[in-house]
Amino acid sequence: MKSVPILLALLISSGAASAFPGTIDLQRIEGPVKRSLSISNWHVDKRGVPSFDFAFSQAGGGCEYQRKGHAIAGFDEADGHVELEIYAGEDDHGKEGPRMIIFYANNNDVVLSMPVQQNKVSWVTFEDKLMRSTVAKKCGYTERGTSIELRK
């Protein structure tokens, strides 16, 4: 992925730092394994840095795992300005993908990302170092070695 730094003023106008109401529930089912992610209590602090609570769980096929926490957007702060951590990946042809805002939790062991969209979350990626090291390889996550994408 290549980094695309964007000033907070641009993010606010694009909706990245906007709050969304209620709880968002996402899931992914692969064979006998069901993975769920709930996002709630979205908040944007006075600097414009968003955060939320999350609860991840997976069950089935001997792949039980749960993790909860509070995720905060990655950011840099200098000279009174906050710059949120935004990335845009590229496809196989070098075309830039959607801009993604990155969130960190549990001492940076959990990384979540979601597209920058106005008051809407349709999918989130979830990566957890502890899960990768403790869940059996048969569960699939450790074989991929990267993040899990969960959708509404």
Side-chain angles (χ1 to χ4, degrees), residues 32-148:
V33 181
K34 179 180 178 184
R35 296 178 175 100
S36 300
L37 177 66
S38 290
I39 296 173
S40 60
N41 299 319
W42 181 271
H43 174 73
V44 179
D45 70 16
K46 64 183 177 182
R47 298 169 302 170
V49 178
S51 64
F52 57 82
D53 294 330
F54 72 91
F56 175 85
S57 67
Q58 80 174 20
C63 297
E64 286 66 30
Y65 183 82
Q66 293 185 21
R67 189 85 183 248
K68 294 180 180 182
H70 185 76
I72 301 171
F75 68 94
D76 287 320
E77 188 170 12
D79 299 325
H81 296 289
V82 170
E83 190 175 294
L84 295 179
E85 194 172 318
I86 303 288
Y87 290 96
E90 293 181 352
D91 65 15
D92 295 336
H93 305 290
K95 183 179 176 189
E96 188 174 296
R99 293 181 307 145
M100 307 284 289
I101 187 166
I102 313 299
F103 293 84
Y104 299 93
N106 303 67
N107 294 323
N108 296 336
D109 280 353
V110 175
V111 179
L112 301 107
S113 60
M114 63 183 69
V116 175
Q117 295 177 343
Q118 179 73 31
N119 298 329
K120 180 182 174 187
V121 176
S122 57
W123 59 274
V124 174
T125 64
F126 177 86
E127 184 174 351
D128 182 348
K129 290 179 187 175
L130 179 62
M131 180 178 167
R132 197 168 42 228
S133 65
T134 59
V135 173
K137 287 187 183 229
K138 70 175 184 168
C139 299
Y141 177 68
T142 54
E143 290 175 15
R144 276 196 301 280
T146 59
S147 58
I148 297 169

